[in-house]
Amino acid sequence: MLKNWAVMPTCLPLVLRRCHACASERFRAPGKFRVNAHHKLLDAWLLVLCTACGETAKLTVLERVHVRSVRPELLDRLHDNDPSLAAKLLRDPGVQRRNRIALDWDDAWRLDTGGSDHLDREVIDITVRFAARIPVRPVRLIAEGCGLSRAEVERLITEGKLVSSVRLCGKLSGDFTFTLKR
């Protein structure tokens, strides 16, 4: 039996970056932007708030970009504080690298298994799809989706009853499939 599972974001992840005011390392992104014009040049930032003290920090999105090189739709979305644009920019590796940040996805995603009617089958083929690049341990996903403990999932892997074409240790953020034999 083939089942499809989906890892879906539930909210924006926390931003890992040191706060200059209180030395906390977590910021939340409310989805607000600041756009500043210098004659024909634009700067745009995604604003993030420290979870401890509320201090605002700016993540650079555009820096000294000529006005005519920015698509009008993008500029409108920045001015309208588009939350989907904020989510897209937070996941952008270029924005993360430029601002020296990482994302904390703990409690910011959910696993949609489509029900538990597959748990009583002898052999199950499952495809896991990621709606966003959310780094998650496959063992955790399998344990949560099948109603097993992580130790039980590890035991099934060592016994060869849980197989996949990808390594199930470590974290994955891309689609994968696995087969569970009971």
Side-chain angles (χ1 to χ4, degrees):
M1 172 180 194
L2 179 64
K3 284 293 278 186
N4 290 312
W5 291 359
V7 178
M8 309 287 292
T10 56
C11 60
L12 292 177
L14 292 177
V15 175
L16 299 176
R17 172 186 173 163
R18 182 172 291 291
C19 178
H20 297 293
C22 72
S24 170
E25 293 190 1
R26 301 204 184 295
F27 285 79
R28 65 179 176 80
K32 304 282 186 199
F33 292 94
R34 175 156 185 237
V35 179
N36 198 9
H38 305 277
H39 301 288
K40 295 180 182 180
L41 302 176
L42 285 179
D43 288 325
W45 301 278
L46 174 62
L47 303 178
V48 293
L49 303 173
C50 177
T51 57
C53 69
E55 184 74 17
T56 302
K58 300 184 291 189
L59 303 180
T60 302
V61 175
L62 300 174
E63 188 171 31
R64 302 287 188 216
V65 176
H66 198 279
V67 174
R68 291 182 187 229
S69 67
V70 178
R71 294 185 329 271
E73 314 83 58
L74 175 62
L75 198 53
D76 289 341
R77 291 176 72 187
L78 289 168
H79 284 298
D80 294 339
N81 293 318
D82 185 352
S84 64
L85 178 62
K88 179 182 175 188
L89 289 172
L90 271 179
R91 292 189 303 256
D92 182 1
V95 171
Q96 291 178 22
R97 191 173 36 259
R98 181 181 315 125
N99 292 285
R100 296 185 187 105
I101 62 168
L103 300 180
D104 178 8
W105 282 98
D106 290 347
D107 302 323
W109 61 272
R110 67 179 168 82
L111 177 64
D112 182 16
T113 61
S116 61
D117 60 334
H118 62 281
L119 296 179
D120 58 346
R121 307 265 180 179
E122 285 295 315
V123 177
I124 311 166
D125 290 318
I126 297 179
T127 301
V128 181
R129 305 245 184 251
F130 287 78
R133 293 185 50 84
I134 303 171
V136 182
R137 295 186 186 282
V139 171
R140 179 179 178 189
L141 289 176
I142 295 166
E144 186 176 318
C146 294
L148 303 170
S149 69
R150 291 187 197 172
E152 180 72 13
V153 172
E154 294 285 350
R155 186 183 63 76
L156 290 169
I157 292 171
T158 56
E159 291 177 358
K161 294 183 178 181
L162 180 60
V163 293
S164 178
S165 60
V166 298
R167 289 183 40 183
L168 296 176
C169 59
K171 290 187 176 184
L172 289 176
S173 58
D175 300 348
F176 69 98
T177 60
F178 67 92
T179 301
L180 176 61
K181 302 171 196 163
R182 300 225 181 207

